[in-house]
Amino acid sequence: MDLRNEALQYHRGGRPGKVEVISSKPCATQRDLSLAYTPGVAEPCREIARDPSQVYAYTAKGNLVAVVSNGTAVLGLGNIGPLAGKPVMEGKGVLFKRFADIDVFDLEIGSTDAEEIIRTVRLLEPTFGGINLEDIKAPECFHIEEQLVRSMSIPVFHDDQHGTAIISSAALLNAIELVRKNLKAVRIVISGAGAAGIACARLLLALGVRTEQIVLVDTAGVVHRGRERNMNPYKAEFATDERCRTLAEALKGADVFLGVSAANIVSREMVKSMAPSPIVLAMANPDPEITYEEARAARPDLIMATGRSDYPNQVNNVLGFPFIFRGALDVRARAINLEMKLAAVHALADLAKQSVPASVLRAYGNVPFHFGPEYIIPKPFDPRVLLWEATAVAGAAMESGVARHPVDLAEYREALESRLGLAREAMRIIIHRARKEPRTIVFPEGMHPKILRACAEIVEERIARPVVLGNADRVREAARALDLPLGGITIFDPALSPRLARYEEELYGLRHRKGVTREDAHNAVLDPKVYGALMVRLGDADGLVAGVSQHYPETIRPILQIIPARQDVRRVVGVFLLTFRNRSFFVADATVNVEPDADDLAETAILAAEVARRFDITPKVAMLSFSNFGSVKHRLVTLVRDATRKVRERAPDLVVDGEMQADTAVVPDVALTHFPFSAIKGDANVLIFPDLTSGNAAIKLLHRLGGADMVGPILVGMSRPVHIVHPSSEVQDIVNVTAIAVADAQNLAPPVAKDPVAAEARAGAMAGGGPHGIPGL
């Protein structure tokens, strides 16, 4: 009852339903209106009339899919009709948008006449880039799809058929591999002879299974030759010559059970009767043909998948349709053919064999999982599915000749990343640079779970050679608890360092006139933060990343005492990159300088602009205040005005203006209407806040309430690559700043260890190491 009430409130609360139409272009002024509608709209109309292919350039057709249903076979609910099925179709639209950035109109057709549905959908071809048929009962669904595919030149895809078939086939391929059986020799029982069951059987044939290996079962029993009851031509394709007539008889000795039928129709005894190491894909929703607990109790040696998210191996269609359509739309495919479906199968199967990033683990409660009996298919919230599956589908469309707009697959994959957020797109630039020449980066908090997860991703992404500080046994124990590989990660215990005396002497030399005695230096150097900073100072590491276990000031203070600022700057500055749907901003200072003076603010602006250029963005700097160009007389306004003047004097080529209010900086209408003289036309991309209070508050609100993705903090102005993260930083944040640290190091000096093997030999006395060593330790 709680779930029922919560679901009803979810759908009716606020604006009823789950979808709305939002304009992708501004329509706030008379000028906007004249462009959006009359008279301006006539121009794209003329272009499309001259060349119909231009419809993809001037309208949303290329990213618009129709979800079409008559509500005759709604999952778990049956024939409830088009009105009652509408919440499901709206939900399908939400998933298209959430997972693949595809826009959807849901179309519920009030007819059960197959020819009427076909005629209706055909007439809609000018509007849509693709058609997703949904929840239409068998056998009409087969005829409807066949006729639409034959007569339309845009992709038509019945997800109940092919989505289920693709995802379950990917899971089955991996399960077969794990139990070391031959796909072309196993015996497969399919329960359910509707849209999903027939599609699963057909796709298995395309993967190499022979018809004789399949036994199809429906409510009337085994589909066998000579059966007349409840038959149709689609079932007849898979009529067997076997003598079994019931599901229980069919399952005796079977290697695989694939269920797309009804709850609780498989008993423990049936599972016990299956062949050794059976594979059970019980995908009936919301309740499977046999529960996970019962199946495991009957056969501990089985591999099992269901359609549920609360058990391992969820076979969920959301792993298919958004990404299949994404790839098909982006190459303007005429259809979604068999080659594209098979490409999707293999992409999903292959992705499940890759190590799982921390962002996915976090979405599933930080429970570790890797390729094996309880992880044979990627998780729905794995962002890599978009990159792997859509790219594979697009490639197959081009190879099979149905693509009308070929793309470069490497460039296309990178374009897909931008759909995951501008932050990921921006970081691609830095990560590509890091990969060209990885550097040695030290992590003082070597036993922290976030650091270990980040280092595992850093190694996999080939971004850097990570060194984690800490007791080797305890680090390995922590990694085992997280089920993380340590290959490529060096573990080093400062207490065992042969250079401990050298480090103590260096620290004493730096701080003996700051009250540090030799005994203090001896004790302090064992602090991993201090030791890590000395590694960087003395050239035993290229950079340092720390901060997940302490507050920012506690982390940065001892490091700044060892690694100074650059000689050309007065203060170091913390910069964040904030990205929204269509815009990116660099924000400073939000981490270091509490009450900067005019010189500090000027330097902050110049350093923040330097960070923007690292991301290949031309900086346009707004010096923010509560005043617009002298509208208020106050010492804080004068401070920002003076800082703006100093920026212009020190960096005459930098586009900068101020003092200005935040909306003047980022809203073109405000800037152009009221301050046309400003060098900033509402298009600032570097925002300089007058103090730490306003800057820190701004980034927190923009991130938490404004939905901005955030990269940073990026510490700029240091003489060596050092970056301090926050305790609230996620694993991806640590990976990002590590890539930035590597890029920083590339600009400063040759790498510490160009040859990891030689470095390891030189560092043979080092405790615990992975395959990479650090020379001289």
Side-chain angles (χ1 to χ4, degrees):
M1 183 60 70
D2 287 342
L3 177 62
R4 177 179 184 275
N5 290 335
E6 187 176 352
L8 292 175
Q9 179 58 35
Y10 173 85
H11 284 79
R12 72 172 174 239
R15 183 193 297 265
K18 298 190 288 287
V19 295
E20 63 178 324
V21 176
I22 299 176
S23 174
S24 62
K25 301 293 191 296
C27 191
T29 66
Q30 178 62 36
R31 181 66 173 167
D32 293 340
L33 185 60
S34 69
L35 294 173
Y37 200 53
T38 185
V41 74
E43 298 309 321
C45 291
R46 292 188 180 103
E47 290 297 307
I48 296 168
R50 181 183 59 81
D51 178 4
S53 70
Q54 292 300 303
V55 69
Y56 290 98
Y58 293 109
T59 76
K61 175 181 170 72
N63 197 54
L64 187 62
V65 166
V67 172
V68 178
S69 179
N70 65 355
T72 53
V74 178
L75 185 65
L77 299 173
N79 186 355
I80 59 175
L83 279 178
K86 185 173 176 63
V88 178
M89 306 314 132
E90 285 189 357
K92 197 72 177 259
V94 170
L95 298 181
F96 265 109
K97 189 66 177 178
R98 163 63 179 81
F99 290 101
D101 193 26
I102 292 172
D103 298 313
V104 163
F105 291 156
D106 60 287
L107 303 177
E108 291 74 34
I109 297 177
S111 174
T112 57
D113 185 308
E115 298 306 321
E116 195 168 22
I117 294 171
I118 292 168
R119 187 165 55 252
T120 300
V121 175
R122 279 176 179 164
L123 294 174
L124 294 171
E125 183 167 349
T127 301
F128 296 99
I131 305 294
N132 184 100
L133 301 174
E134 189 77 14
D135 293 347
I136 301 172
K137 73 180 181 70
E140 291 87 344
C141 64
F142 301 117
H143 175 65
I144 290 170
E145 187 193 37
E146 288 167 0
Q147 293 303 310
L148 291 176
V149 168
R150 186 175 295 117
S151 61
M152 298 180 78
S153 60
I154 58 175
V156 177
F157 184 83
H158 185 203
D159 187 45
D160 300 323
Q161 292 183 55
H162 311 298
T164 303
I166 288 167
I167 316 308
S168 62
S169 292
L172 180 59
L173 286 182
N174 281 341
I176 289 285
E177 179 180 329
L178 287 168
V179 299
R180 299 182 179 181
K181 293 185 180 181
N182 185 350
L183 183 66
K184 297 180 180 181
V186 294
R187 185 166 174 272
I188 302 170
V189 175
I190 300 177
S191 175
I198 297 296
C200 288
R202 286 176 169 177
L203 194 58
L204 288 174
L205 297 185
L207 288 167
V209 173
R210 292 170 291 107
T211 306
E212 305 84 70
Q213 294 174 242
I214 298 172
V215 176
L216 186 65
V217 184
D218 64 7
T219 54
V222 171
V223 175
H224 60 87
R225 296 191 191 280
R227 197 183 95 172
E228 297 181 359
R229 180 188 169 200
N230 196 20
M231 288 292 288
N232 61 51
Y234 305 101
K235 295 180 184 180
E237 291 178 36
F238 299 96
T240 184
D241 289 324
E242 290 194 17
R243 299 175 64 85
C244 56
R245 292 294 180 264
T246 66
L247 179 59
E249 292 172 354
L251 279 175
K252 290 179 180 178
D255 298 281
V256 177
F257 170 76
L258 196 157
V260 282
S261 49
N264 303 316
I265 63 169
V266 175
S267 66
R268 290 192 186 193
E269 289 67 27
M270 293 182 191
V271 175
K272 286 180 180 179
S273 73
M274 294 178 70
S277 301
I279 298 166
V280 175
L281 309 182
M283 299 176 291
N285 263 315
D287 298 309
E289 285 82 357
I290 182 171
T291 68
Y292 181 81
E293 291 84 359
E294 285 187 303
R296 292 285 296 174
R299 290 294 294 272
D301 62 333
L302 98 170
I303 293 179
M304 183 169 184
T306 69
R308 296 177 62 114
S309 61
D310 49 352
Y311 295 113
N313 301 324
Q314 182 187 17
V315 176
N316 190 320
N317 282 19
V318 77
L319 281 169
F321 65 86
F323 315 108
I324 292 166
F325 268 99
R326 179 77 276 156
L329 292 174
D330 289 339
V331 296
R332 298 181 196 166
R334 295 182 181 86
I336 295 174
N337 58 24
L338 178 60
E339 291 85 349
M340 295 159 75
K341 296 169 192 172
L342 290 174
V345 171
H346 289 293
L348 288 170
D350 292 343
L351 178 56
K353 298 172 186 175
Q354 308 301 309
S355 61
V356 182
S359 60
V360 180
L361 297 178
R362 187 173 65 254
Y364 292 89
N366 285 320
V367 176
F369 45 84
H370 54 81
F371 182 60
E374 295 195 343
Y375 180 66
I376 58 174
I377 195 76
K379 298 290 187 180
F381 282 100
D382 191 332
R384 300 173 302 169
V385 178
L386 173 64
L387 309 181
W388 284 62
E389 190 172 359
T391 302
V393 169
M398 291 189 290
E399 290 178 9
S400 61
V402 297
R404 288 172 290 194
H405 178 66
V407 298
D408 179 279
L409 287 180
E411 293 177 0
Y412 176 59
R413 186 183 177 96
E414 292 199 2
L416 287 172
E417 290 223 45
S418 68
R419 293 186 179 275
L420 299 175
L422 287 177
R424 290 179 68 98
E425 182 180 12
M427 279 307 305
R428 276 295 113 193
I429 297 168
I430 304 298
I431 288 172
H432 280 318
R433 290 177 189 165
R435 283 175 176 166
K436 289 179 180 178
E437 196 176 16
R439 299 299 179 92
T440 301
I441 305 298
V442 61
F443 298 85
E445 298 144 306
M447 287 178 286
H448 198 286
K450 289 182 182 178
I451 293 296
L452 289 172
R453 286 193 171 115
C455 286
E457 291 192 25
I458 288 162
V459 169
E460 183 173 350
E461 290 276 331
R462 306 185 311 281
I463 291 170
R465 297 188 294 270
V467 177
V468 297
L469 300 184
N471 177 274
D473 291 336
R474 293 177 64 190
V475 171
R476 289 193 184 98
E477 183 181 345
R480 278 194 297 271
L482 297 169
D483 198 22
L484 288 175
L486 286 174
I489 300 171
T490 294
I491 309 166
F492 185 72
D493 188 345
L496 302 179
S497 171
R499 295 195 64 181
L500 205 57
R502 173 69 182 90
Y503 281 21
E504 290 176 14
E505 187 64 29
E506 182 73 14
L507 182 60
Y508 178 70
L510 284 172
R511 305 296 297 171
H512 69 277
R513 291 188 178 273
K514 303 291 184 180
V516 174
T517 66
R518 287 193 178 276
E519 185 178 357
D520 293 336
H522 175 78
N523 294 328
V525 79
L526 294 175
D527 181 336
K529 289 195 304 297
V530 173
Y531 192 93
L534 287 164
M535 287 175 66
V536 176
R537 179 181 176 87
L538 294 174
D540 291 330
D542 295 303
L544 178 145
V545 174
V548 293
S549 62
Q550 287 184 313
H551 294 301
Y552 199 91
E554 295 168 352
T555 302
I556 195 172
R557 189 177 298 113
I559 292 172
L560 287 174
Q561 292 171 355
I562 296 168
I563 302 176
R566 286 176 359 204
Q567 291 184 356
D568 61 330
V569 304
R570 301 166 73 242
R571 292 176 179 270
V572 296
V573 172
V575 180
F576 281 91
L577 168 60
L578 297 179
T579 63
F580 297 85
R581 181 175 175 82
N582 298 312
R583 296 183 71 177
S584 298
F585 299 94
F586 295 89
V587 177
D589 181 347
T591 59
V592 181
N593 299 295
V594 180
E595 292 181 315
D597 59 22
D599 285 309
D600 294 334
L601 277 180
E603 191 164 74
T604 296
I606 293 168
L607 290 173
E610 182 182 300
V611 175
R613 291 190 187 98
R614 289 189 211 169
F615 286 84
D616 292 346
I617 293 174
T618 302
K620 301 188 75 173
V621 181
M623 308 294 287
L624 300 184
S625 175
F626 58 87
S627 167
N628 274 316
F629 306 105
S631 62
V632 177
K633 307 299 181 186
H634 192 277
R635 62 177 180 82
L636 295 178
V637 173
T638 302
L639 171 71
V640 178
R641 188 182 307 129
D642 289 346
T644 305
R645 175 178 53 80
K646 290 175 182 288
V647 175
R648 291 192 178 117
E649 291 170 354
R650 299 176 190 177
D653 295 332
L654 182 61
V655 177
V656 60
D657 216 335
E659 81 288 0
M660 66 176 64
Q661 294 179 2
D663 57 347
T664 305
V666 301
V667 181
D669 282 349
V670 173
L672 294 172
T673 301
H674 301 289
F675 310 103
F677 56 83
S678 173
I680 302 297
K681 309 300 183 184
D683 56 355
N685 52 27
V686 179
L687 306 179
I688 307 302
F689 285 84
D691 55 38
L692 184 60
T693 299
S694 57
N696 190 268
I699 64 161
K700 298 293 187 182
L701 290 172
L702 289 170
H703 178 48
R704 299 297 183 181
L705 300 183
D709 289 328
M710 188 163 66
V711 174
I714 303 165
L715 198 59
V716 60
M718 296 288 289
S719 60
R720 300 287 170 83
V722 170
H723 291 285
I724 311 300
V725 295
H726 288 281
S728 61
S729 296
E730 299 294 347
V731 170
Q732 189 60 50
D733 300 324
I734 300 167
V735 174
N736 287 342
V737 298
T738 301
I740 293 168
V742 171
D744 291 346
Q746 290 170 346
N747 294 329
L748 288 176
V752 165
K754 289 184 179 179
D755 181 355
V757 176
E760 183 181 18
R762 290 192 297 271
M766 201 168 66
H772 302 313
I774 305 170
L777 283 183

